[in-house]
Amino acid sequence: MAAAHTPRESAHAAALGVRQALGGSFAAISKWERELGKLRVLVNVGELADGEEEFPGDESYPVHEFPEIVDFLHEQWAGGGEPSAWVERAEEPPSGPAPTGPEGGGCVNPQRVAALRRRGRGCCVVAPIVLHGRAWGELYVARRTGEQVFGRADADFASVLAAVTAAGIAQTERLAEARRLAFTDSLTGLANRRAVDMRLDEALELHRGDGTVVSLVVCDLNGLKRVNDSRGHAVGDRLLERFGSVLSLCGAMLPGMLAARLGGDEFCLLAVGPPADEVVKVAGELCDRAGELDLGEGVAVGVASTGDPIGPVRSARRLFRLADAAQYKAKAARSGEPVVAGRHGGKDDPVVRLADAPDRRTGPERRRFRR
């Protein structure tokens, strides 16, 4: 689990480990989604029954079918006790019903028993996974019908394994949060410059390898300083947040487009794969929507794409410089449309001009940015 980079990888490593440690034929890790009232299966490993997948897309169960999640898995240690695992059996032992609760090591849940029988499993041990004093989910290990039934010692061992699993999940979540903070702009929630640099380097590797089109849209939010000076930085921050939402909305128009704040009033969109014309259309939509904000003075937008005649792009710096040059031209012209690098001129002498994407606005009231 320590080597896992994502929560899914961490859960997968945990499931493999606990299955081996407990000698099970099958193991699963599930998470309690409190806001949805569901127990969602993150991973299944081992001998999968019909309908089971290693990484389920949407395998979940209403918590009301498993009241021990809310009651036994939480309330039993609310007074200072420790969470304990228990055993479920597909069939009653010859001596009669299995004792229930943490002392007896048995519990009777009709849904779990029915699932065991349906999937050809004779027994299972269930242990709560606890993070920060709250039930996070459960560890589940089963054995085939006919194999030795789990006992109290197995349940105690499962509790220990669940604690180890919880520690691994906590570490993975901390690392995921650290990565999120490292690559996210704290004000807008968009990606930051570090994330753009990494993604752009990877994209240009693809471009050099197979000609994948890489496009960069650079935006400068007009009027931010005036808003800060006249109405205060809190209002200026609101303008940045609102434009960030607009940028995210426009970025979602093309698959995999990255929306980012580079710093201050500078933003960008990075597209890998879509044709340059599609990116220019998105840039035009961004200009239109930014012009509708009741704060600021619209946005200056420049576009540079390897799908246009801009010459060889061997570095991220060159693509940024071309997009910046286009953006500066848009700003100087107070253009209400994106300016695109290389739309005319030779490949060794890229020139920027207004994009000739079709104008979606008609009539004498054709909207321009406020002066």
Side-chain angles (χ1 to χ4, degrees), residues 151-232:
R152 179 68 263 170
D154 296 308
D156 290 341
F157 187 31
S159 296
V160 174
L161 293 173
V164 175
T165 297
I169 289 172
Q171 173 181 288
T172 305
E173 290 187 344
R174 285 194 296 269
L175 291 174
E177 178 65 9
R179 283 193 291 269
R180 186 190 69 78
L181 293 173
F183 295 105
T184 303
D185 175 65
S186 58
L187 178 64
T188 63
L190 301 175
N192 61 15
R193 178 61 185 260
R194 184 182 293 108
V196 173
D197 288 342
M198 288 188 62
R199 181 75 66 86
L200 186 52
D201 285 341
E202 293 169 357
L204 290 177
E205 283 291 331
L206 292 174
H207 172 68
R208 287 188 287 268
D210 60 13
T212 298
V213 175
V214 180
S215 305
L216 189 65
V217 180
V218 174
C219 321
D220 190 276
L221 190 57
N222 298 325
L224 178 63
K225 185 177 186 305
R226 180 188 61 78
V227 170
N228 283 335
D229 292 345
S230 63
R231 304 181 65 176

Side-chain angles (χ1 to χ4, degrees), residues 133-167:
R134 301 180 70 187
W136 180 91
E138 71 169 33
L139 175 158
Y140 176 101
V141 182
R143 286 176 177 167
R144 305 180 195 91
T145 299
E147 292 186 343
Q148 183 177 355
V149 174
F150 289 116
R152 179 68 263 170
D154 296 308
D156 290 341
F157 187 31
S159 296
V160 174
L161 293 173
V164 175
T165 297

Side-chain angles (χ1 to χ4, degrees), residues 92-158:
E92 292 183 359
S95 58
T100 62
E103 291 78 16
C107 188
V108 179
N109 182 299
Q111 286 79 16
R112 290 191 196 273
V113 171
L116 285 171
R117 294 170 179 167
R118 185 170 63 251
R119 292 164 178 164
R121 294 165 186 155
C123 63
C124 68
V125 59
V126 184
I129 298 173
V130 181
L131 261 66
H132 314 302
R134 301 180 70 187
W136 180 91
E138 71 169 33
L139 175 158
Y140 176 101
V141 182
R143 286 176 177 167
R144 305 180 195 91
T145 299
E147 292 186 343
Q148 183 177 355
V149 174
F150 289 116
R152 179 68 263 170
D154 296 308
D156 290 341
F157 187 31

